[in-house]
Amino acid sequence: MRRSRAETDTSHTKLSRRAALLGGAQLLFMGGLAARMRHLQVDQADQFRLLAEENRINIRLIPPKRGEIFDRNGMQLAQNVPSYRIVMVREDAGDPEDVMMRLAHLINLTPEQTEAALSEIKRSAPFLPVTIAEDVSWDAVSAVSVNAPALPGVSPEVGSTRVYPRGSDFAHVVGRVGRVSQKDLDALEDPDALLRIPRFQIGKINVEAREETLLRGVAGTKQVEVNATGRVMRELDRREGQSGAAIQLTIDAKLQNYVQARLTGESAAVVIIDCEKGDILANSSAPSYDPNLFIGGISSKDYDPLLNDKYRPLVNKTVQGAYPPGSTFKMMTAMAAIEAGIIGPDDTVHCPGHLEIGGRKFHCWKRSGHGWVDLENSLKRSCDVYYYDLALKVGIEKISAMSRRFGLGIRHDLALSSVNSGLTPTKDWKLQNRGEDWVIGDTVNASIGQGFMLASPMQLAVMTARLATGRDVTPRLIKTVNGVEQPVKGNTPLDMKEGNLRKMRKSMYAVVNDRRGTAYRSRIIAEGMRMAGKTGTSQVRSAVVNNNEVPWEQRDHALFVGFAPYDNPRYACAVLVEHGGGGSTAAAPIARDVMLQALYEGEPPLEAYPSGDRGSKRALQKRLRNVQPQARIKTAKDQA
């Protein structure tokens, strides 16, 4: 059927309108697309380029070299040594179990190690290296390298591990490092990103822990190019970090070694302080342990004996232990009374063997009594009744206040773990902590360093240094950091009458050098080296015991504090022998030996000892001569 001309014209008109509409829509779409492409490629080019770089380039941390620790003479106490480990990459190994079986024949992997490694390989990304064995010997590294074709995906790597070359000598000073635990991370408000690196080690106790920030250093960084799965393709840039600080302690390693050797077989502690600057020259707790055993994790076989030892080798008795100071505290009671003008140095008190207070008898250690005694004789013969009488006159508040002026009852700021503040009790203290009123018997017991009174060997050494110098000597453990001398704190006059201090020192001199003194058998006879001091015996039970008839744990503690030379004090010391019995028999002989070692800066001449002691001291010196710590350092360097 033919269409009319009018119909044809109408149809063409409709078609042209539709084409125009469609073409316009297409042009509008293309224009919008072009505008969007320009916006993405030009206007937002910098933003997308940054996103692309972040996807393509990763920033990774480079662990810094841990700072090393030295003694006052530059001897290394904590160092870093090369260590070797064997790693495996799963995607290169093909069949990890087969490769692991072959590897086990070369480096003697235990079934437990093999199982743990395979388990970690399955959990890790296929391109990440997994450590199979750590701290292996050079022979093992060589065996793996030679057999590389038969061990696809396996390769040796070199790292660094912490080593303590002086072994057990410094376990209670330097401390040790260990792998970062979740507990470590939880204890920090904003943990350093370094701490999240697998197997990263930080200080756990003592100087290693207290100076962790200085020793750790600052991490370096490297830029690596990775593909879509995170595999490293190449390293683009590297910026080295900052090594940890080198820390020098005030401790003398040779003296420390001698003291540790001298304490062999004892549960004891010794602190030696320089009276001039407060430098701690020796800080020894016995028995000790080898911190190298803890590197990489200690086995239960090695740990259980340390944990169950009744002598408590894991405890630093010099600062963690708090003991009744016994008669070594008597100088504080006397100083409180004399400074308050309540009694003069020459005033006397009668000792019949006891003092009766409120119907209760407080006995002197000498049941027959000492008769009339003044300050010097009371210290020399360690009369208890003299100090009972002083305590009733002066009161506990003045006694405790004087004790704190001499460094007792104070937590000294040292780079050591769990430093104990001890206890110098007051009436308010007992009411707040025990819910009881203070009674006169508490004051009497405190006057001779018993009852609630507690002190650490470190505090007793500080007390003695302050008595010897009349200054507030403050203990210092860190000598330099990166060669920069650390400040000496305190060392200002105690604002006490010099005459009273001189009388106290003279009385302490009599304790050691007078024939009736309790420490006379431990005197030093070398001219210019004479020692002054005070013995102490503190009860661990309320009842008086015969130390020869009770188990070791129930025997009294033995103590001695002293300084030398008497005329020009250089060193002060405190000695504690747990359950040692008497201070004159157990602690004073040790004090004389370690003090002479410090004074002579090495083995003293036999002429420094009384003639009757020289035979035994010759044998002792022979046994201790050139004693070296037997550190069990299991590193690649030592095993090679």
Side-chain angles (χ1 to χ4, degrees):
M1 178 177 169
R2 290 177 63 88
R3 301 178 66 181
S4 66
R5 187 176 186 87
E7 289 177 335
T8 302
D9 291 342
T10 301
S11 177
H12 279 208
T13 299
K14 291 180 179 179
L15 183 61
S16 297
R17 188 182 297 119
R18 290 173 182 170
L21 288 174
L22 182 59
Q26 289 178 334
L27 287 174
L28 184 62
F29 175 76
M30 294 298 294
L33 184 60
R36 179 61 177 167
M37 291 178 65
R38 181 188 181 283
H39 177 67
L40 294 175
Q41 294 181 350
V42 178
D43 297 340
Q44 293 188 312
D46 292 340
Q47 180 180 348
F48 284 105
R49 183 180 299 110
L50 177 61
L51 291 174
E53 287 295 318
E54 289 180 345
N55 286 330
R56 183 174 64 87
I57 298 172
N58 281 352
I59 306 297
R60 298 191 178 180
L61 296 177
I62 303 174
K65 179 182 177 183
R66 190 171 181 83
E68 296 185 326
I69 303 175
F70 304 84
D71 87 325
R72 67 184 298 109
N73 299 310
M75 185 177 292
Q76 281 189 318
L77 307 179
Q79 62 186 112
N80 307 308
V81 300
S83 65
Y84 301 102
R85 57 178 176 265
I86 306 299
V87 301
M88 178 186 293
V89 178
R90 192 205 325 168
E91 69 174 6
D92 295 335
D95 184 351
E97 294 185 6
D98 180 60
V99 175
M100 189 74 73
M101 188 180 301
R102 279 176 269 165
L103 180 63
H105 292 297
L106 292 175
I107 62 174
N108 297 320
L109 291 175
T110 64
E112 292 77 15
Q113 287 176 305
T114 301
E115 184 178 348
L118 286 172
S119 178
E120 187 172 352
I121 287 173
K122 292 177 182 178
R123 292 194 306 267
S124 302
F127 53 83
L128 290 179
V130 172
T131 300
I132 306 301
E134 287 187 292
D135 201 16
V136 299
S137 68
W138 178 251
D139 289 340
V141 171
S142 301
V144 170
S145 299
V146 169
N147 291 275
L151 300 170
V154 176
S155 61
E157 289 185 354
V158 63
S160 177
T161 190
R162 199 65 157 175
V163 164
Y164 303 101
R166 304 300 296 177
S168 60
D169 282 357
F170 283 86
H172 294 117
V173 179
V174 172
R176 62 180 186 270
V177 297
R179 293 176 184 170
V180 180
S181 66
Q182 188 59 47
K183 182 179 179 181
D184 296 325
L185 294 174
D186 293 341
L188 299 173
E189 191 170 313
D190 184 22
D192 189 332
L194 266 174
L195 303 184
R196 300 189 183 278
I197 295 177
R199 302 176 186 271
F200 190 78
Q201 293 186 327
I202 61 171
K204 293 293 185 177
I205 58 171
N206 296 322
V207 174
E208 288 276 31
R210 294 295 305 278
E211 302 298 333
E212 169 63 27
T213 303
L214 283 174
L215 291 167
R216 186 191 308 159
V218 179
T221 59
K222 62 179 178 180
Q223 286 187 335
V224 294
E225 184 177 3
V226 298
N227 63 13
T229 62
R231 183 182 297 109
V232 176
M233 307 304 292
R234 58 174 173 156
E235 184 176 307
L236 301 176
D237 185 37
R238 173 182 288 257
R239 294 184 182 180
E240 296 298 334
Q242 180 181 335
S243 297
I247 293 180
Q248 184 180 25
L249 305 184
T250 60
I251 304 287
D252 184 322
K254 291 184 179 179
L255 180 60
Q256 178 85 358
N257 175 231
Y258 174 85
V259 176
Q260 286 291 154
R262 180 63 180 83
L263 295 180
T264 300
E266 302 283 3
S267 179
V270 170
V271 177
I272 303 177
I273 291 181
D274 170 59
C275 289
E276 182 64 28
K277 294 184 177 180
D279 287 358
I280 303 171
L281 301 180
N283 186 82
S284 301
S285 179
S288 187
Y289 63 93
D290 182 5
N292 293 292
L293 293 173
F294 285 82
I295 298 173
I298 188 170
S299 67
S300 58
K301 177 183 176 182
D302 290 325
Y303 186 66
D304 288 346
L306 296 176
L307 191 63
N308 299 322
D309 191 329
K310 68 177 182 179
Y311 285 0
R312 302 179 301 143
L314 295 174
V315 175
N316 183 2
K317 300 178 180 72
T318 62
V319 295
Q320 288 181 256
Y323 308 87
S327 293
T328 62
F329 183 79
K330 288 177 177 176
M331 287 84 75
M332 297 297 96
T333 302
M335 285 300 300
I338 295 173
E339 281 289 306
I342 293 173
I343 191 172
D346 299 323
D347 292 347
T348 59
V349 171
H350 184 259
C351 170
H354 68 273
L355 183 65
E356 187 169 343
I357 304 172
R360 177 185 172 188
K361 288 185 178 181
F362 290 84
H363 291 277
C364 183
W365 71 268
K366 186 178 181 181
R367 292 306 176 97
S368 60
H370 291 93
W372 291 97
V373 291
D374 58 10
L375 173 63
E376 181 174 318
N377 279 292
S378 73
L379 273 185
K380 178 175 67 179
R381 301 163 66 185
S382 203
C383 173
D384 294 331
V385 170
Y386 180 89
Y387 296 93
Y388 297 157
D389 184 79
L390 289 191
L392 295 178
K393 295 173 181 176
V394 71
I396 189 61
E397 302 299 332
K398 285 187 173 65
I399 293 174
S400 291
M402 182 61 66
S403 303
R404 287 190 289 274
R405 292 180 70 180
F406 279 88
L408 303 182
I410 296 172
R411 188 182 184 278
H412 295 291
D413 185 17
L414 295 168
L416 297 171
S417 299
S418 304
V419 177
N420 201 309
S421 62
L423 179 60
T424 52
T426 61
K427 294 178 181 179
D428 286 342
W429 171 87
K430 186 179 181 184
L431 187 61
Q432 293 173 9
N433 291 273
R434 299 297 178 93
E436 300 173 356
D437 291 329
W438 190 268
V439 297
I440 194 67
D442 295 331
T443 302
V444 172
N445 283 329
S447 71
I448 60 168
Q450 293 287 165
F452 299 118
M453 197 69 67
L454 296 172
S456 69
M458 178 64 70
Q459 291 172 324
L460 292 176
V462 172
M463 176 196 76
T464 308
R466 294 184 181 186
L467 280 168
T469 62
R471 302 190 305 274
D472 65 335
V473 178
T474 302
R476 184 176 76 147
L477 183 60
I478 307 297
K479 189 175 188 297
T480 68
V481 176
N482 281 335
V484 179
E485 188 83 14
Q486 299 303 289
V488 175
K489 298 179 181 179
N491 214 27
T492 56
L494 286 171
D495 192 25
M496 293 186 180
K497 296 176 183 178
E498 182 58 30
N500 291 338
L501 287 169
R502 279 199 301 268
K503 185 64 177 178
M504 193 64 61
R505 295 173 198 138
K506 184 173 181 292
S507 300
M508 294 174 70
Y509 179 85
V511 171
V512 182
N513 297 281
D514 189 286
R515 288 184 178 276
R516 301 186 71 182
T518 56
Y520 180 69
R521 295 183 62 182
S522 296
R523 66 194 182 281
I524 296 171
I525 67 170
E527 288 301 321
M529 297 290 186
R530 296 294 180 97
M531 179 172 67
K534 181 70 186 81
T535 57
T537 302
S538 67
Q539 294 175 286
V540 297
R541 301 174 63 194
S542 58
V544 177
V545 299
N546 184 333
N547 289 304
N548 296 321
E549 298 177 354
V550 295
W552 178 81
E553 295 85 352
Q554 297 178 19
R555 297 174 188 172
D556 298 333
H557 295 317
L559 301 104
F560 182 87
V561 298
F563 64 88
Y566 169 71
D567 296 320
N568 183 27
R570 290 170 56 194
Y571 306 120
C573 76
V575 178
L576 162 83
V577 181
E578 286 189 330
H579 310 293
S584 60
T585 56
I590 294 174
R592 175 177 62 177
D593 291 344
V594 300
M595 189 66 84
L596 280 172
Q597 195 78 12
L599 290 168
Y600 283 95
E601 298 181 0
E603 187 176 286
L606 290 174
E607 289 71 25
Y609 294 93
S611 57
D613 294 340
R614 292 172 188 171
S616 61
K617 293 305 172 184
R618 183 182 292 108
L620 177 66
Q621 289 179 352
K622 183 178 180 181
R623 179 171 65 85
L624 300 181
R625 189 172 294 133
N626 299 322
V627 174
Q628 297 296 326
Q630 300 299 315
R632 288 175 287 178
I633 304 174
K634 300 178 181 179
T635 65
K637 182 178 179 181
D638 292 288
Q639 294 179 20

